[in-house]
Amino acid sequence: MEQSLHVYNSMTGKKELFEPLTAGFIGMYVCGPTVYSDVHLGNCRTFVNFDTLYRYLLHLGYKVRYVRNITDVGHLVGDVDTGAEDKMAKKARLEQLEPMEVAQKYTVGFHDMMRLFNTKSPSIEPRATGHILEQIEMVQDIIDNGYGYVKNGSVYFNTRKLVEEGKGYGDLSGRKIEDLLSETRSDLKNQSEKEHPSDFAIWIKADENHLMRWNSPWSVGFPGWHLECSAMSTKYLGKHFDIHGGGNDLKFPHHENEIAQNIGACSCAPAKYWLHTNMLLMNGKKMSKSDGNSITPTELITGDSHHISKGFHPMVIRFFMIQSHYRSTLDLTDEALLAAEKGFKRLMDANRALNGLQSTTESGALDADIRDTIQAAFAEMNDDFNTPKALARLFEIVPKINSLKEGKIKMDQVGAAALADLKACFHAFIFDIFGLEDQAESGSSTGAKALGGVMDLVIDIRKQARADKDWATSDKIRDSLKEAGVQIKDSKEGAEWELI
RNA sequence: GGUCGGGUGGCCGAGUGGCUAGGCAGUGGUCUGCAAAACCUCGUACGGCGGUUCGAAUCCGCUCCCGACCUCCA
């Protein structure tokens, strides 16, 4: 049973024992969104995955500084030397807005969505435009250290120098400089300013029409896309920190170039552990707006899409994401979501049933089994955050909880201490670690209270009808309530109800 | 074309050299006035072809298929 945390490090391709650089403290940097359009559902998966990871680290008692940036400049569409345009600027031009208006609009939208998915806010959420000075300083350091060269007001990173010095450009993404050299794609040609095809821009001279630009020692321009992460992670987490995360598709070139910049600026690779989440697919393929194989988070929630039969609550979506491992692709299908919805409900019902249990004994026959399963669940999390397996362990206990509730297993089978542990474990996993919320308990408004009062009355009336064997009345109440969206569930202990 | 990852029962999704993943759906049963829920039970899956092994879905080779990256992408 693994008791210490192991994580899969993309840099080494192996699971490694997780040891923070400073005992008790963790610095974690995750690449955030570029706020030039509504947040993509795939982004949501990545951020939900890292949120779960963050939550687990907190649960383990670490003091975590979680930094996730907002990219609001420097992210290019197309190629730098062939009429590239900043994503932010392009959107601003199309929508006739100030670039900062675009950034603000989509940042707010992003935060709203993150809130719906119940992700915790990062400790720091720095913006690229708020750190232009730091980026300029970093470019200067890179130049001073001989890793950057200036061409016509733009500054490029010299990747060959890194390779020649054996400092591992390409290690993270498994690329060889020769492969990069022999690149034949036509898109990459015509880069006259670069001395080598694998070099990349760290400062870009802006043309006169460019909306976002700043003064620098080299030109009026803007920073390269990869630079912000290097500058901001260094500023808030130091030159070397514990975890750097992001989507799989950022490995190259983004993370690779980020590492190069850090080495170039301060001779130090930024992170000890690199964690990458895998892609979210839909119907077996990567989501793509161009072939219509795409769904937005909002559509998924409202059900306004031909890909799905109905809308799904954000918590169902989060549960769905937790059912797969962060390093695996996850295939989004209507059927899978429907299954997740039922599974989520079953887990939440069980948790509520668990909280209603009262032990009648000091110790019981099931104690050891319960404790083993709890321990196993945590062991799964320690094995590279294996949420699907941990969840499976929880589900293994669900039949026992339901049996206890219904009296099929006597309460003297579970001791008070074991039951308390079980309640604590379920609470920790469901709410603290998995970050789920119980919809049935979230309605604490006066309306919900009134409904509760009404239901107590209705159930009481139906109880009397059943006692009188007045099945017509009893069934009418049940059927009508179901039509109104309330499900009655009978049991030996009496009837319960829930909103469907 | 290059690099990497993957193909698991009806669907999703873990995992692994011999020991039940789990969820959903399905089977049969218990309970119930009838249902629903719940509980019990069952299914005996690992792309194809070879090889290694006492034994492979798990290791090796070949092959087919899929995905990601190589250009912006979580």
Side-chain angles (χ1 to χ4, degrees):
Chain A
M1 207 73 79
E2 189 48 68
Q3 293 306 333
S4 50
L5 178 62
H6 283 69
V7 302
Y8 180 88
N9 189 348
S10 304
M11 185 57 91
T12 58
K14 289 177 188 147
K15 276 183 196 168
E16 299 174 3
L17 175 65
F18 180 76
E19 292 177 299
L21 296 165
T22 305
F25 294 83
I26 294 174
M28 176 163 88
Y29 189 93
V30 173
C31 290
T34 302
V35 284
Y36 67 100
S37 68
D38 290 320
V39 62
H40 182 92
L41 191 60
N43 281 257
C44 294
R45 145 114 127 148
T46 293
F47 300 136
V48 165
N49 282 157
F50 278 109
D51 179 64
T52 305
L53 220 130
Y54 174 49
R55 286 166 172 275
Y56 188 61
L57 295 174
L58 291 176
H59 176 83
L60 291 178
Y62 288 108
K63 187 159 169 37
V64 186
R65 181 179 292 170
Y66 173 24
V67 180
R68 186 184 64 203
N69 65 292
I70 295 279
T71 296
D72 54 2
V73 70
H75 206 154
L76 298 168
V77 178
D79 184 72
V80 183
D81 300 325
T82 54
E85 191 170 15
D86 187 284
K87 280 193 175 183
M88 298 302 308
K90 181 179 181 183
K91 191 75 175 188
R93 184 172 52 73
L94 292 174
E95 297 191 359
Q96 296 195 312
L97 297 168
E98 268 295 314
M100 283 308 273
E101 281 185 278
V102 177
Q104 181 66 15
K105 177 182 173 186
Y106 295 113
T107 299
V108 168
F110 169 65
H111 285 154
D112 288 347
M113 198 52 72
M114 288 297 100
R115 207 168 295 119
L116 281 177
F117 284 120
N118 195 33
T119 64
K120 286 178 174 289
S121 293
S123 324
I124 302 175
E125 193 167 40
R127 290 178 173 229
T129 52
H131 297 76
I132 299 294
L133 279 178
E134 287 84 350
Q135 296 184 70
I136 289 174
E137 281 170 14
M138 189 166 242
V139 172
Q140 190 58 253
D141 289 343
I142 291 170
I143 294 173
D144 291 347
N145 291 334
Y147 291 100
Y149 55 88
V150 184
K151 284 279 171 78
N152 303 321
S154 289
V155 186
Y156 294 92
F157 191 95
N158 186 339
T159 52
R160 264 180 315 172
K161 183 174 164 69
L162 264 196
V163 172
E164 283 161 8
E165 292 174 355
K167 291 184 179 167
Y169 184 70
D171 283 358
L172 178 67
S173 56
R175 275 176 179 72
K176 304 262 182 297
I177 194 85
E178 305 89 69
D179 297 338
L180 295 168
L181 224 190
S182 61
E183 182 59 69
T184 56
R185 282 174 163 266
S186 55
D187 288 359
L188 289 182
K189 290 174 179 168
N190 211 357
Q191 297 181 69
S192 52
E193 287 186 353
K194 291 190 197 176
E195 291 176 356
H196 185 97
S198 68
D199 289 354
F200 57 92
I202 50 182
W203 184 264
I204 300 150
K205 182 182 177 181
D207 64 38
E208 289 182 1
N209 299 323
H210 207 94
L211 292 171
M212 304 180 87
R213 46 198 189 147
W214 292 265
N215 246 125
S216 81
W218 315 284
S219 66
V220 175
F222 54 96
W225 170 37
H226 320 295
L227 194 60
E228 82 219 47
C229 288
S230 289
M232 297 190 295
S233 69
T234 302
K235 173 159 183 168
Y236 297 113
L237 296 171
K239 292 176 180 176
H240 194 53
F241 51 93
D242 300 291
I243 297 172
H244 192 125
N248 207 198
D249 48 356
L250 290 181
K251 267 190 197 168
F252 189 89
H254 186 242
H255 290 333
E256 201 69 76
N257 290 351
E258 217 183 303
I259 295 168
Q261 288 163 344
N262 281 274
I263 292 175
C266 58
S267 306
C268 185
K272 186 175 180 188
Y273 305 98
W274 285 85
L275 272 51
H276 288 96
T277 57
N278 215 133
M279 298 296 100
L280 178 67
L281 310 177
M282 186 158 75
N283 301 317
K285 299 204 165 158
K286 186 181 178 181
M287 286 196 195
S288 160
K289 279 184 187 170
S290 51
D291 14 327
N293 192 232
S294 171
I295 187 167
T296 67
T298 307
E299 287 168 348
L300 187 55
I301 293 166
T302 61
D304 183 22
S305 164
H306 69 274
H307 291 293
I308 48 175
S309 58
K310 63 187 282 286
F312 294 93
H313 189 97
M315 284 306 108
V316 169
I317 301 165
R318 182 161 178 133
F319 177 88
F320 171 70
M321 290 172 173
I322 281 166
Q323 273 189 305
S324 78
H325 187 81
Y326 76 90
R327 281 193 290 118
S328 300
T329 53
L330 172 60
D331 195 5
L332 186 94
T333 63
D334 189 51
E335 224 179 340
L337 286 164
L338 256 12
E341 187 171 53
K342 294 198 176 176
F344 173 67
K345 184 176 171 302
R346 179 169 158 83
L347 182 67
M348 287 307 182
D349 286 350
N351 183 245
R352 254 175 276 122
L354 172 63
N355 286 130
L357 299 180
Q358 297 291 333
S359 178
T360 58
T361 179
E362 283 297 304
S363 64
L366 288 174
D367 291 5
D369 190 32
I370 287 171
R371 288 220 162 87
D372 284 351
T373 310
I374 290 172
Q375 203 182 10
F378 283 107
E380 303 293 7
M381 287 302 289
N382 283 334
D383 182 15
D384 195 29
F385 311 99
N386 200 325
T387 55
K389 282 194 83 172
L391 188 60
R393 297 287 90 80
L394 259 44
F395 270 110
E396 283 170 12
I397 304 179
V398 168
K400 290 194 179 70
I401 292 172
N402 287 327
S403 293
L404 286 164
K405 181 195 171 197
E406 297 191 357
K408 284 172 182 154
I409 297 177
K410 297 280 183 266
M411 279 311 298
D412 63 7
Q413 297 288 297
V414 185
L419 184 64
D421 285 353
L422 183 59
K423 286 179 181 176
C425 168
F426 260 61
H427 190 278
F429 264 106
I430 295 173
F431 303 109
D432 300 342
I433 299 171
F434 293 156
L436 301 168
E437 289 170 325
D438 190 345
Q439 296 324 118
E441 286 183 346
S442 65
S444 59
S445 64
T446 51
K449 278 184 189 161
L451 178 61
V454 170
M455 284 310 300
D456 286 347
L457 173 67
V458 171
I459 283 176
D460 197 47
I461 291 170
R462 179 161 173 275
K463 186 180 172 188
Q464 188 56 51
R466 295 183 75 209
D468 297 342
K469 297 198 189 301
D470 178 4
W471 308 128
T473 302
S474 161
D475 289 355
K476 184 181 180 183
I477 290 173
R478 185 176 67 198
D479 297 343
S480 301
L481 283 175
K482 190 167 186 180
E483 265 181 54
V486 179
Q487 175 73 56
I488 293 284
K489 295 196 288 191
D490 292 321
S491 73
K492 288 207 171 90
E493 285 72 40
E496 292 177 9
W497 64 275
E498 67 185 14
L499 296 174
I500 308 170

